[in-house]
Amino acid sequence: MTTSMTSPKEVIIVGAGYTGLAAALDLSRAGFKVTIYEKDSDVGGLAGTFELSPGTRVEKFYHHWFTSDVDVLDLIDELGLGHLKRFVSSNTGLYYANSVFRLASPLDLLTFKAIPFIDRIRTGLMALIARRINEWKPLEDISAEDWLIQHGGRKAYEAIWSPLMQGKFGVEAENVSAVWMWNKLKLRGSSRNKKGGESLVYFGGGFGKLTDGIRESLSKLGVTIKLNTGINSIITENGRAVGVVSEQGSHRADAVLVTTPLPTFLAMTKDLPQDFRAQCEKIRFLGNSCLVLRLNRSLSSTYWLNVADPSFPFVGIIEHTNLDSRENYNGEHIVYLSKYLPTTEKLFSFTPDEMLEYCIPFIQRIFPAFDRSWIIGHHVWKAQYSQPVITKRYSESIPPLKTPIAGLWLSTMAQIYPEDRGTNYAVRYGRKVARDIIDDFSKATPCEELNNLLVGNNSGTGV
């Protein structure tokens, strides 16, 4: 991939999550000079990791891929890391009415006697129905609740879906579009093995090993990554983005790509047209608080346990070491307890110790044998903008990748639609916006190039 540029142009990327990293790869390969600014101490964004011990890392938030996640899986192959992909059969379950039910295959669903037999059949068929829907636009006018009742029956909705929707979205549950649920069912249904069970993909050495590989490739391409450096504002001159102001000073460039959460972008970009800002502000977000437990024994054989009880302080219990061997984590059992919630709720402000004490009685309700002596350590990781609320007619609120300010580009999880957020789509949209930026520069006329220089488009760093 090349451009017609006579001299290297510089692009600043704000945010070193998978969107920013993927965009940086393609832009640098096309001959651009790329600098990435990241406010955290490491790359990876929501797929970032932390150390259990020197040299042993695990994700802050639980992660895996589906076999249909071709964008990130293809990127892994491009990096020469395909041999580290691990294909694993998943064991899923549901906590409902004080009992744990295995729901890893169609046969498990057929024996789930909490709902009538006909509703079990209808629920099982929903994944097939979802996979056959190619035109999702008509779903935008339907709520997830109405769509689930229509296809799975009211009993199934009340037993399975309503508690999960309440646990995931809380007061926003009734506002969620059928598009969100359709996509979830389609995605999971497309990642089945020949026996009907779910097949997932993980990375040998964890996501931290993958980000190491991406970072190594970026280094070879001459990409600069500035960690622990947040961006305060976007510099605009004559209606064009010409750089950023960081905590270390100003840095001018030919274009700026922002990959932070949408509200963060709005806060740092003061000169946006009011109608564009108002469109972006229609999108609402939930935060996430994730308790990570390090245990000396396993809770169960289940990898992903959905908790169909909104009174619990978590919507899922994910025992990571039932997906990836505990031998990769010093023999510890790693468990995530995830809760989506408005950041104004008290639980979001809990310290790690407060969160642990709050959750222990609930864990013991599901796993009566669980004891404090099992706990080796615990951590809590929080994300303020973890999940956009996919409301009806959500497509009308999505901002374009190319903003109204010339030279300013935007690629965030809020624009990943009809798909939901995730590293696969972060890679897809990171590469898409990189192509758009490359094409934009390729189409620039000599007069436009001269104008860009006249408005002060100098590559370099100043204070």
Side-chain angles (χ1 to χ4, degrees):
M1 187 184 297
T2 59
T3 73
S4 59
M5 297 182 299
T6 58
S7 60
K9 298 296 183 182
E10 181 167 4
V11 178
I12 289 173
I13 297 177
V14 183
Y18 272 57
T19 301
L21 296 176
L25 276 172
D26 286 356
L27 287 168
S28 57
R29 287 169 177 169
F32 287 81
K33 180 181 178 182
V34 179
T35 302
I36 304 176
Y37 283 84
E38 172 55 54
K39 69 176 182 178
D40 290 334
S41 60
D42 201 0
V43 301
L46 288 175
T49 61
F50 70 100
E51 278 196 336
L52 298 174
S53 62
T56 302
R57 290 178 292 172
V58 69
E59 290 82 49
K60 296 175 181 178
F61 302 92
Y62 48 93
H63 286 281
H64 62 248
W65 297 300
F66 297 101
T67 55
S68 56
D69 284 341
V70 296
D71 295 275
V72 69
L73 298 179
D74 287 349
L75 175 61
I76 290 170
D77 290 337
E78 285 180 30
L79 296 171
L81 301 173
H83 61 287
L84 292 175
K85 291 187 290 191
R86 302 285 185 262
F87 293 83
V88 187
S89 294
S90 170
N91 185 4
T92 59
L94 178 75
Y95 177 75
Y96 169 75
N98 299 317
S99 298
V100 174
F101 296 89
R102 175 185 165 91
L103 287 178
S105 71
L107 181 60
D108 294 331
L109 179 59
L110 287 175
T111 60
F112 182 55
K113 296 183 179 180
I115 59 177
F117 183 76
I118 187 61
D119 286 352
R120 295 176 229 167
I121 298 294
R122 293 175 67 184
T123 298
L125 289 174
M126 278 201 299
L128 295 177
I129 293 171
R131 291 176 68 180
R132 292 175 180 173
I133 295 176
N134 296 317
E135 180 51 60
W136 52 268
K137 279 282 187 178
L139 297 178
E140 283 208 296
D141 290 316
I142 307 170
S143 70
E145 176 181 350
D146 289 343
W147 191 81
L148 287 166
I149 292 173
Q150 175 189 347
H151 291 287
R154 182 167 293 278
K155 292 290 186 182
Y157 178 76
E158 292 174 350
I160 301 173
W161 305 113
S162 179
L164 292 178
M165 292 287 291
Q166 290 291 328
K168 171 84 173 184
F169 291 103
V171 296
E172 294 279 12
E174 63 181 19
N175 301 320
V176 175
S177 164
V179 174
W180 183 84
M181 182 55 69
W182 158 76
N183 183 67
K184 285 293 184 184
L185 291 173
K186 175 177 66 72
L187 187 62
R188 301 198 85 97
S190 65
S191 195
R192 296 284 171 179
N193 56 38
K194 293 180 179 179
K195 295 181 179 180
E198 188 172 62
S199 182
L200 302 177
V201 188
Y202 194 62
F203 193 81
F207 276 48
K209 188 73 173 179
L210 175 56
T211 52
D212 286 346
I214 298 173
R215 191 170 180 177
E216 181 179 347
S217 294
L218 291 174
S219 178
K220 291 178 180 178
L221 289 164
V223 174
T224 299
I225 302 177
K226 294 180 178 291
L227 299 174
N228 299 305
T229 310
I231 296 300
N232 297 325
S233 62
I234 306 296
I235 304 172
T236 60
E237 295 176 0
N238 299 327
R240 183 177 185 88
V242 296
V244 298
V245 177
S246 76
E247 297 161 353
Q248 298 176 350
S250 63
H251 183 166
R252 300 180 74 86
D254 300 281
V256 177
L257 166 60
V258 180
T259 68
T260 67
L262 190 55
T264 305
F265 163 76
L266 294 176
M268 70 175 65
T269 313
K270 304 300 184 184
D271 297 330
L272 288 168
Q274 188 54 44
D275 57 345
F276 181 85
R277 181 179 293 277
Q279 176 184 351
C280 293
E281 288 174 344
K282 291 179 182 178
I283 299 176
R284 303 189 295 275
F285 291 82
L286 293 174
N288 184 273
S289 183
C290 190
L291 173 64
V292 186
L293 295 178
R294 302 163 58 185
L295 307 178
N296 60 22
R297 67 196 73 185
S298 176
L299 285 177
S300 72
S301 61
T302 301
Y303 163 57
W304 192 291
L305 182 66
N306 289 301
V307 179
D309 188 334
S311 70
F312 275 60
F314 39 81
V315 71
I317 300 178
I318 297 90
E319 189 159 346
H320 177 70
T321 38
N322 286 334
L323 180 75
D324 192 33
S325 173
R326 66 187 179 93
E327 301 309 318
N328 296 324
Y329 307 95
N330 304 321
E332 297 180 15
H333 298 265
I334 307 299
V335 179
Y336 296 91
L337 280 70
S338 174
K339 176 64 174 177
Y340 292 90
L341 72 172
T343 56
T344 53
E345 286 192 13
K346 184 178 180 181
L347 188 147
F348 190 78
S349 67
F350 278 7
T351 67
D353 287 346
E354 288 173 335
M355 188 67 168
L356 176 65
E357 292 302 317
Y358 184 60
C359 287
I360 281 178
F362 294 95
I363 301 172
Q364 290 172 330
R365 279 175 59 182
I366 301 176
F367 306 106
F370 175 76
D371 187 81
R372 290 174 181 269
S373 63
W374 296 14
I375 302 172
I376 299 171
H378 65 284
H379 311 263
V380 169
W381 302 101
K382 302 175 185 179
Q384 187 174 5
Y385 305 109
S386 181
Q387 174 70 59
V389 181
I390 307 302
T391 54
K392 288 189 287 185
R393 308 208 66 80
Y394 182 86
S395 62
E396 297 175 357
S397 300
I398 301 174
L401 299 178
K402 187 175 185 178
T403 76
I405 297 176
L408 179 60
W409 300 80
L410 175 68
S411 186
T412 75
M413 73 170 73
Q415 295 157 287
I416 297 173
Y417 184 78
E419 290 85 6
D420 198 18
R421 64 200 171 77
T423 51
N424 179 67
Y425 300 111
V427 169
R428 177 185 297 180
Y429 279 76
R431 306 192 89 165
K432 183 182 188 309
V433 74
R435 289 194 301 271
D436 289 352
I437 293 171
I438 293 166
D439 290 345
D440 194 63
F441 274 99
S442 297
K443 294 173 183 175
T445 66
C447 289
E448 287 172 331
E449 293 285 353
L450 178 60
N451 182 64
N452 291 344
L453 292 172
L454 291 176
V455 297
N457 222 357
N458 301 313
S459 295
T461 304
V463 292

